[in-house]
């Protein structure tokens, strides 16, 4: 019986009782049974704590501006699963994903031994690789879902690895400090191949692990630089290459670092990958690139912004943006998962938020924090903070709209569940 896409996704959630099971043996075995075709002539993997989705989108846009056929794999999705797999900037259709899942299922069940259990994420990773190989893309850009060394994406030997940032997140899986997490993220690099480090002050654990692998490390602030100008900015490489570029269309100051890492990756990949006029391709891409829920403005007065920032580093980036953006009072619609450093997120934003509209996410996910837990954390982290409590995102957003006046702004953030609920509501 042929399953629909929705039926396949529901089925996958029960194939492996663990939603996360790090390790490459199972997924590699299924990929080999599928023939392990070459995914693309060039493959770029993008790992890191924050900035992965934006960097993937910038790479995708730059390559498309140069006339290259691209495949991009990201996760999680916001509104539709199809968002995870893009070919030439278009989401994969249901029929293609279903066909890929059928091929994966055949491979994992074949042989006399017991079926190979795959997680939901591993099914999706294999589907993306399969579809990119069949589509004949020129460059595949693969976002690493969690960590690096043991993530399913790492069955592919990338030509260039990008590590955007390293900060505390998923500590139960990756380790308790930046050095431990950096060592895990370094695992996507390969000996003798470029590894782009996108932050200026990476942890020593990351650099030591990259050196042990034998990767050709290129670091922000050492091998390539961002020079802000009165109008636009300049990307400079230690080899003398320079590009004068427009400001990224994506909001937030951190997007300059993401753009710089993306350019460095393509520069290291192949001098000709962006064609005869690389600066022109990069400039065209930066001026039009967009990523849902990365400080996405949904309009209105007061304006509504939605962002997927859900850890302290992302919150610090939001704080930096708020410090430079003209607005009145900031109303935050905020919800979080239980395994996140919620207190760290709240403390990073601190007095910049005039009113917290807290949303319980326990109805959206087993990992979602109920609203009373959010209230308790807020009281401890920011005593006296003005707030109200709601059982979900919709009532929290309605309360923010009612409380805000023209000149204020509303910032909905804290989890993909918050972002997807706001976008699904048609809040624009």
């Amino acid at each position: 019986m042929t399953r629909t896409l929705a039926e396949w996704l529901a089925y996958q959630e029960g194939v492996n009782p663990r939603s996360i099971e790090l390790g490459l043996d199972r997924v590699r075995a299924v990929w080999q049974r599928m023939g392990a075709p070459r995914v693309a002539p060039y493959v770029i993997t993008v790992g890191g704590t924050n900035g992965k989705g934006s960097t993937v989108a910038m790479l995708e846009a730059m390559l498309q501006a140069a006339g290259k056929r691209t495949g991009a794999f990201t996760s999680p999705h916001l509104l539709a699963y199809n968002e995870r797999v893009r070919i030439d900037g278009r989401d994969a259709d249901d029929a293609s994903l279903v066909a890929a899942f059928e091929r994966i299922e055949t491979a994992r069940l074949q042989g006399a031994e017991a079926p190979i259990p795959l997680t939901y994420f591993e099914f999706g990773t294999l589907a993306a690789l399969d579809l990119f190989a069949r589509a004949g893309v020129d460059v595949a850009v693969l976002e690493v879902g969690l960590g690096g060394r043991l993530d399913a994406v790492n069955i592919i030997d990338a030509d260039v690895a990008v590590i955007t940032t390293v900060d505390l997140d998923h500590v139960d899986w990756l380790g308790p400090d930046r050095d431990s997490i950096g060592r895990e993220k370094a695992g996507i690099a390969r000996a003798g191949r470029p590894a782009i480090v996108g932050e200026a002050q990476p942890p020593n654990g990351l650099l030591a692990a990259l050196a042990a692998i034998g990767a050709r490390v290129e670091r922000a602030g050492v091998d390539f630089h961002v020079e802000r100008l009165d109008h636009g900015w300049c990307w400079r490489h230690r080899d003398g290459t320079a590009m004068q570029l427009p400001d990224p269309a994506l909001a937030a100051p951190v997007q300059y670092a993401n753009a710089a890492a993306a350019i460095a990756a393509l520069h290291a990949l192949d001098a000709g990958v962006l064609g005869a006029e690389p600066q022109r391709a990069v400039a065209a891409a930066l001026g039009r690139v967009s990523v849902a829920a990365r400080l996405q403005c949904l309009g209105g007065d007061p304006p509504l912004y939605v962002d997927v920032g859900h850890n302290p580093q992302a919150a610090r980036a939001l704080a930096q943006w708020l410090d430079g953006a003209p607005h009145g009072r900031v109303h935050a619609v905020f919800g979080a998962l239980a395994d996140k450093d919620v207190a760290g997120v709240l403390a990073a934003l601190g007095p910049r938020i005039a009113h917290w509209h807290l949303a319980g996410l326990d109805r959206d996910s087993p990992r979602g924090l109920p609203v009373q837990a959010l209230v308790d954390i807020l009281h401890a982290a920011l005593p006296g903070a003005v707030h109200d409590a709601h059982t979900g995102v919709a009532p929290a957003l309605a309360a923010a709209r009612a409380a805000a006046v023209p000149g204020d702004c509303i910032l909905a953030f804290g989890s993909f569940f918050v972002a997807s609920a706001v976008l699904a509501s048609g809040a624009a």
Side-chain angles (χ1 to χ4, degrees):
M1 182 183 70
T2 301
R3 296 184 178 98
T4 65
L5 177 57
E7 289 168 341
W8 265 111
L9 298 177
Y11 169 75
Q12 290 167 19
E13 291 177 343
V15 168
N16 190 325
R18 300 180 182 180
S19 60
I20 299 173
E21 185 174 356
L22 297 180
L24 303 181
D25 291 345
R26 291 170 297 98
V27 69
R28 181 183 284 121
V30 175
W31 184 235
Q32 289 172 343
R33 290 180 180 182
M34 296 174 71
R38 188 180 187 189
V39 176
Y42 294 113
V43 176
I44 303 171
T45 51
V46 181
T49 303
N50 293 299
K52 298 186 295 294
S54 298
T55 303
V56 168
M58 290 179 180
L59 285 165
E60 191 181 13
M62 292 172 191
L63 290 162
Q64 288 171 8
K68 296 296 185 289
R69 184 167 168 79
T70 59
F73 173 58
T74 60
S75 68
H77 61 274
L78 286 164
L79 299 179
Y81 184 90
N82 311 62
E83 299 166 20
R84 295 179 179 227
V85 182
R86 295 191 300 273
I87 296 175
D88 270 351
R90 294 183 294 276
D91 296 346
D93 57 49
D94 286 12
S96 296
L97 288 166
V98 165
F101 290 146
E102 289 173 347
R103 291 187 288 270
I104 295 164
E105 183 73 350
T106 297
R108 82 173 193 90
L109 295 177
Q110 76 181 43
E113 63 270 27
I116 299 174
L118 296 175
T119 66
Y120 181 93
F121 178 78
E122 289 165 347
F123 264 101
T125 302
L126 289 172
L129 301 179
D130 175 70
L131 291 175
F132 296 159
R134 290 172 179 272
V137 301
D138 298 313
V139 185
V141 185
L142 310 176
E143 179 186 334
V144 179
L146 190 158
R149 182 175 61 92
L150 298 177
D151 185 272
V153 169
N154 206 31
I155 64 171
I156 302 300
D157 293 326
D159 298 283
V160 178
V162 180
I163 300 166
T164 54
T165 62
V166 177
D167 208 70
L168 300 183
D169 203 4
H170 302 295
V171 294
D172 291 342
W173 295 96
L174 305 179
D177 51 49
R178 291 182 75 225
D179 282 325
S180 301
I181 294 170
R183 283 190 286 270
E184 289 296 318
K185 294 189 182 300
I188 66 173
R190 295 294 186 270
R193 298 184 183 181
I196 309 303
V197 177
E199 64 179 324
Q201 295 180 317
N204 290 331
L206 170 66
L207 298 177
L210 290 173
I213 290 168
R216 289 164 36 208
V217 178
E218 296 201 10
R219 291 177 54 183
V222 176
D223 301 290
F224 60 94
H225 303 265
V226 171
E227 180 184 347
R228 298 287 293 272
L229 307 172
D230 290 338
H231 300 285
W233 63 294
C234 186
W235 182 87
R236 296 187 184 278
H237 193 273
R238 57 178 165 73
D239 67 5
T241 303
M243 297 184 188
Q244 191 161 338
L245 301 164
D247 294 324
L250 294 174
V254 73
Q255 296 298 355
Y256 291 93
N258 293 334
I263 298 167
L266 296 177
H267 185 70
L269 179 67
D270 183 336
V273 73
L274 290 178
E277 298 182 88
Q279 179 171 318
R280 182 174 180 178
V282 171
L286 290 179
R288 70 180 185 223
V289 68
S290 64
V291 190
R294 273 66 170 187
L295 270 177
Q296 180 181 0
C297 182
L298 300 181
D301 187 13
L304 168 62
Y305 296 88
V306 59
D307 192 83
V308 294
H310 56 263
N311 54 48
Q313 184 184 58
R316 292 192 295 271
L318 286 174
Q320 184 183 12
W321 174 75
L322 287 171
D323 287 343
H327 53 72
R329 289 159 43 93
V330 180
H331 294 257
V333 176
F334 179 75
L337 300 183
D339 58 354
K340 301 302 178 184
D341 180 4
V342 177
V345 170
L346 299 175
L349 286 158
R352 297 172 183 84
I353 307 301
H355 194 138
W356 294 90
H357 303 271
L358 303 177
L361 297 184
D362 47 317
R363 298 180 181 180
D364 300 286
S365 167
R367 297 161 55 211
L369 275 176
V371 70
Q372 187 55 52
L374 280 178
V375 170
D376 293 343
I377 296 170
L378 180 67
H379 281 159
L382 299 173
V386 178
H387 70 278
D388 48 55
H390 304 275
T391 56
V393 176
L397 178 60
R401 286 190 179 282
V405 300
D408 291 349
C409 80
I410 301 170
L411 174 63
F413 78 105
S415 167
F416 271 80
F417 287 103
V418 173
S420 62
V422 172
L423 294 174
S425 73

